[in-house]
Amino acid sequence: MSSAANNELESANRQRASIAVVGRVNRGKSSVVATLTENRNVKISHKARTTTETVAYPVRVDGELLFTVYDTPGFEDAAGAIRWVREHANDLPPQQALRAFYDTWLGKADFREECELLKPLLDGAAIFYVVDISTPYRANHQAELLFLSWTGAPIVIVLNQIGEENHLESWREALASTYPVSLRFDPYRAGWPDRRRLLMTITEAAPHLEADIRAVIEALAFERQRRLREAGRIITRMLIAAVTLHRNVVIDELDEVEDHQRSLEREFHEELRRLEASAWQELQRLYLHEGAAAAHSQLRFEDREAGDLFSEKTWEEHGLDPLALMGVTTAAGALTGGVIDAAVGGASFMAGTALGALSGAGAGLYGLKRRYASATSIGQTFKNIVQGQKGGRKIRIGPHPSPNLPFVLLNRAVQQLDAVRNWAHANPEFPGMREEVIGDLNRSMTQEDRRHLHASFQSLRKNYEAPQLQVQRALRQTVTELLERLYRGEAVR
Amino acid sequence: MHLAEILELEARLSADREREDDELWRRERAIVAAQPEKWREDTPRNEQTRAWLRALPEDERTDTSGWIAGLRWSRRALLLAGVIVGGGLAAGLLRYDGTHPINVLPWIAILVILPLLTSVVSAIALIALQRSGTSRRGDISLFIPIARVFLWLSERFTDPSTRQRMRGIRARLASTEGFPRSGRESKQRKPSPADEDASRWRSAVESYRTRRGAYPGLEARIAFSAAQLFSIALSVSALVVLVTRVVSSDLAFGWSTTLSLQPERLRALTDILSVPFAWLVGHAPSEELIEATRYVRLERGYTATGASSTGSGPWWSFLFWSALCWGLLPRVALLLVNEGLRRRYQRALPPLTPDVEALLHRLRTPLVEFEAEREDPGDDAPLPLSPAREIELPQDARRALVFRWRDAAFDDATIDAILARRHGLRSGTLHDAGGLSFESEDTGLASLRELDPLDPVAIFVESWETPDRAMARLIERIRRAGTNRPILVFGSAGDAADNSLWRDYLGQLHDPYLSFKPFEEANDEQRGEQ
């Protein structure tokens, strides 16, 4: 094979693996790139000319390049560039004419942006041409489109709406006949289905890229699945840490016990809040929102009235439904009693089951409203042991006694996860949590799931010093399965 | 997995718990990239874990050779202890000064019956250990009372300076759940170094208790083997001493007890004990021998009750074979069985704990990375200090050359009205600029020559159309074509941010005869004038 053919082949390979996002200045190109590549470090600003050079955003699977998205500076003078080409390279084929243009103007102030955005295009990148449909179509856009069409690359029109007005129809009417492949894409609100659709749109403009684009989508979907499992791990870790949290303090005999108790209670609940906030931050990091994580968590963390972990509203919204909670604790009690009944060969006439169910229901009722744990003084025990020695009193708190706490934490974590999963990377503002997630979660959680979770939490609480690894593992499995069930439909949506 | 690998795995997992997930993913994926064939889903867990340990970067390897050497040395120490105890014991039991025969009963009791009983107990323990499987829960309950007693004693019987010197060890012990610190220490509400030590140790102890639950019985199996080694060394040493004494001196054996043990009973016992080897060597003590070698202690010496004690020689072979068969061999068997079970158990390691599960997940799952090849340099230049400002038109300006920028949607009437009402100007032919075609723009620029040098150029733009270099080029061409005539850029339909962009951009051109007038503002002014 000749060297020219080799170069052509290499060029074709490169073409399959890259997309250049181009358009006029301030049309949201960088926002599209940020959301498409999940990169919060893309510079985005309402100020014009935020992007001054072409920057490659490669997406790799285990270090192997999957595809590259290029963020390019906006067109500054496409008509001027076309005029130069017509005057100086009119006899050349379009691609060669563009190459001549590039070679002539590279490194010079005039047409600097056009040369920058030509770099990936001359290497065969497909084109996302971003327009703002909140402004009406004007015929002068044809200059940029003509310039782009000379590259021979497939062109997809990305219809971005930055402002309030909507001129979609004028854009569609003007461009549909020449550039039939277009898609509305809001980089500030786009979720995974929108991203996937945008990528698939390339295959309409360039069917020969279908296999590659499908591979890209498959890898991205796989990555989302991986992150979901990681999220399950993070949430489980937080739940285990929260359910087994305990503190002991030894104070002087003469100190006021109550003061220390209150102080320990404050510290204990602050620690639970910190555990939750830390898990939320981990989730945000997992979904590559690290830059925005701290500000957001702080905001929620200080919103004590409404969003605080221990507020009444939070427990009402996120805790188990009272009937469900009692159902879980009653069933767990009945099961324990049933084991005793079985052990005595039924000689107890099911009294164990009945008593177990009753005590479980009682425990559920007791824990229902108990949002705060109390510190208790157990100094007397130690006085007996050391007999007269000024050993001090011991105050202890935890694990938190409420069976509802882990469910509150789980629900809130899932809500947070849902928000960060759907948080477009171009959007600097946290989109807020969807209330309906809790309903979705509760619907996907069977009574058996609740029983498993409750049993795991009980076991962890009981063995809070050395939580059993098999219980930890079982809890992680249940949480991950719940999350997978919750988002099962996503892959086909 | 070998013990060294288990220790290294646990050390690595423990260190990894302190690290960011991202870091771990990157490390694991780099390891996989080096040898992708090793990390398939169907490769056994232990093989993957071992390969992972070997593939870790050198600075992340944990040197467990110290632990293993420590274990080896403790085994050797146990062996030595067994040799010393066994040798000493045998020497004591076989002590012979010629005044009375060596009593065989203590030998039988200590080196045959007792090992036999402990072997039976050990075998039961081994079966229980094997059957208990995962039921063992990490517990250090024995440690707590010991720690309490030690701390209490140190508090009570040591002076303050000694207690200060013992601060580290006290902190470690006090970290054990439930032990009270002294009143003086407890007053320190701010964490002291000792408190931090205690907290670290508490966390380490809790972690250890959790982790050891993942390896149920492993420690017990190691301890079991060590105990067998000690017993074997003891028995071997005792047998060696016996043989040495028999070979090197003339010993006389007999038996004597305060208990009312009849020779027939002893005979029955020796017969039972001889079962394993009697067929082989035929050395079960005969009834005559037992009768003959019984002796009692009288006032000043020992007297044999039998005819003679000189024929007591066959006892030594009985003692040798019974200690060998009942003291030594069961221990050897237990050691072999236990080691076999331990190896089989270790082959199935590591257990699928959450940490190991996470590790395997990282090894088996590709990672999609989103990175920028380099940071976008961006345009961080500060905004111009002098945005485009208002300019005054010359009094005798009568006519304006008008360009409509980028197909701005202004009709002739609107443009005429704005120019006339705002500046008392007439508009000439309307030219388009900024589009694909330069024809109209060129014509307009050519017509500049026909214009009075003071007449302005008006450019009508839609403010939402961001200014760019094409606009700068148009202004430059206007300047090249004539004098410093005023250029009025009328912007419309944009919001404040758009207008600000235009002012800033035009200001950057540093043209004192260039002005930007937002169209809405112009309208307002017109209304005010009316």
Side-chain angles (χ1 to χ4, degrees), chain A residues 281-303:
Chain A
Q281 280 176 1
E282 270 191 81
L283 288 176
Q284 293 183 5
R285 234 185 349 258
L286 178 66
Y287 283 89
L288 310 176
H289 293 295
E290 195 166 12
H296 161 67
S297 291
Q298 197 61 27
L299 186 75
R300 297 281 308 175
F301 200 44
E302 287 176 354
D303 186 11

Side-chain angles (χ1 to χ4, degrees), chain A residues 24 37 47 49 53-54 60 62 76-77 83 113 138 140 226 248-250 382 391 473 476, chain B residues 25 29 177-178 181 186 189 352 357 367 369-370 374 378-379 407 442 462 465 467 469 473:
Chain A
R24 198 167 280 182
T37 61
K47 208 178 106 182
R49 292 170 196 80
E53 290 176 17
T54 292
R60 292 190 166 91
D62 278 351
E76 290 279 345
D77 192 1
R83 187 180 206 181
E113 289 76 11
R138 294 287 182 259
N140 61 76
R226 181 192 76 80
N248 300 312
V249 171
V250 181
F382 288 92
R473 189 164 162 247
R476 210 261 313 143
Chain B
W25 273 98
R29 298 319 301 168
E177 157 73 17
R181 285 172 288 172
S186 68
R189 300 295 296 173
L352 201 55
E357 205 177 26
L367 178 67
E369 291 171 285
F370 302 85
R374 62 190 168 85
D379 180 10
D407 314 306
D442 291 344
E462 287 166 319
E465 189 70 71
R469 188 170 290 120
R473 178 178 45 75

Side-chain angles (χ1 to χ4, degrees), chain B residues 158-174:
Chain B
T158 55
D159 55 54
S161 62
T162 311
R163 283 203 292 276
Q164 183 60 28
R165 280 200 297 278
M166 292 166 63
R167 194 186 68 181
I169 193 166
R170 284 170 56 77
R172 288 170 198 186
L173 294 176

Side-chain angles (χ1 to χ4, degrees), chain A residues 309-434:
Chain A
L309 172 61
F310 295 102
S311 77
E312 200 172 341
K313 187 166 175 284
T314 298
W315 280 54
E316 268 173 24
E317 286 175 0
H318 297 274
L320 272 187
D321 166 56
L323 278 177
L325 180 65
M326 278 187 55
V328 166
T329 54
T330 307
L335 194 67
T336 313
V339 171
I340 297 168
D341 287 333
V344 297
S348 53
F349 296 104
M350 302 302 282
T353 307
L355 285 174
L358 270 176
S359 60
L365 266 177
Y366 177 67
L368 195 61
K369 295 285 179 188
R370 194 153 177 218
R371 287 178 283 127
Y372 294 98
S374 307
T376 51
S377 166
I378 50 170
Q380 194 60 38
T381 318
F382 288 92
K383 274 174 78 178
N384 290 343
I385 291 172
V386 286
Q387 292 187 344
Q389 184 216 350
K390 288 182 180 174
R393 281 170 178 276
K394 184 178 178 189
I395 302 175
R396 65 177 299 159
I397 188 167
H400 197 290
S402 172
N404 217 352
L405 174 74
F407 287 99
V408 172
L409 287 166
L410 175 63
N411 276 353
R412 275 161 63 96
V414 171
Q415 211 179 14
Q416 174 75 6
L417 169 68
D418 180 77
V420 293
R421 269 172 71 83
N422 295 307
W423 185 1
H425 287 74
N427 188 357
E429 300 295 325
F430 184 67
M433 303 207 221
R434 290 191 306 131

